[in-house]
Amino acid sequence: MNIQSFTFLLFLIYLLSSCSSGKIISTTSVENFNINNYQSFDFYQTELNIDEMPEFEKRVDWIKEAIEEKFKEYGLEKDSSSPELLVNIGIVLEEKIQTRETDLRSDPPTYIGQRRYHWEVEEVEVGRYNEGAFTLDLVNAKSQKLLWQGVAEGIVSTNDKQAYKNLKEGTQKLLSDLDQ
């Protein structure tokens, strides 16, 4: 993996982990999947070395912490040696532009010294923000088959305290689909 891809991935993780608790887009599972039939889990191991960038490591840890807390409610324990379930975390981030329409009351025409001038309604940029999508995949460790997938999206917050809160709530909301 080249350094640009690595840096971009870390940037996405950093920003997405700040997302508002957002909304659940979809959850799907294989027939008869029940989280209570499993006792252990672990996260997919990647070759990314984020230890060198503590600001990104913190955000990734928040994601994992939220998942671990929810899985403990289901009776699952983290087991790195022989987990029954593997958790894959996917992140996508998109920059959005917030606009408003011009209005005669707030944007009146001004005289510019010519007779032939006009005023028209147009879209004006008022801000930019990031919207992120967060995907969780639960995979059977032995068969490597996807058992469950959940997708949520939300607005990114740059405030660490708010990001932590939103991340916890969003993960709880997404994984609550596993409740039987």
Side-chain angles (χ1 to χ4, degrees):
M1 178 177 276
N2 65 31
I3 192 72
Q4 290 173 334
S5 298
F6 177 71
T7 305
F8 182 70
L9 177 63
L10 290 177
F11 179 71
L12 290 179
I13 290 169
Y14 177 78
L15 290 176
L16 185 65
S17 66
S18 306
C19 276
S20 67
S21 62
K23 62 182 177 181
I24 306 306
I25 302 302
S26 69
T27 58
T28 56
S29 65
V30 297
E31 190 174 334
N32 298 323
F33 171 69
N34 187 334
I35 191 75
N36 297 316
N37 294 338
Y38 297 87
Q39 286 137 15
S40 63
F41 75 96
D42 196 13
F43 298 98
Y44 265 102
Q45 300 302 317
T46 62
E47 295 179 16
L48 298 176
N49 187 7
I50 60 172
D51 296 337
E52 297 171 5
M53 300 178 162
E55 67 274 12
F56 294 113
E57 184 179 15
K58 174 177 65 172
R59 301 291 175 121
V60 172
D61 288 344
W62 291 350
I63 294 169
K64 290 180 177 181
E65 180 184 317
I67 293 168
E68 285 182 43
E69 284 178 14
K70 188 64 176 175
F71 278 6
K72 281 186 181 180
E73 292 177 21
Y74 295 125
L76 277 78
E77 292 295 323
K78 186 173 181 199
D79 178 1
S80 297
S81 61
S82 59
E84 295 176 321
L85 279 178
L86 291 172
V87 179
N88 185 47
I89 303 167
I91 299 169
V92 176
L93 186 69
E94 182 179 3
E95 184 178 54
K96 301 274 185 161
I97 298 172
Q98 184 177 7
T99 63
R100 70 171 176 82
E101 208 171 70
T102 56
D103 185 302
L104 275 173
R105 292 170 293 183
S106 60
D107 306 297
T110 56
Y111 180 70
I112 56 173
Q114 298 175 0
R115 289 186 176 186
R116 286 184 240 144
Y117 69 94
H118 73 284
W119 182 90
E120 63 185 68
V121 175
E122 60 187 350
E123 291 289 316
V124 177
E125 181 180 325
V126 293
R128 292 178 182 256
Y129 63 96
N130 289 311
E131 184 175 88
F134 179 60
T135 305
L136 288 180
D137 299 327
L138 302 184
V139 177
N140 183 304
K142 287 183 183 175
S143 67
Q144 291 295 304
K145 295 203 176 180
L146 180 65
L147 301 172
W148 181 89
Q149 182 178 66
V151 180
E153 71 178 13
I155 305 299
V156 175
S157 170
T158 55
N159 178 300
D160 275 355
K161 207 179 238 187
Q162 187 64 44
Y164 182 77
K165 178 181 177 269
N166 291 343
L167 182 62
K168 290 283 198 170
E169 289 174 4
T171 303
Q172 294 287 325
K173 215 189 295 187
L174 182 60
L175 292 173
S176 67
D177 178 72
L178 296 171
D179 296 337
Q180 300 294 325

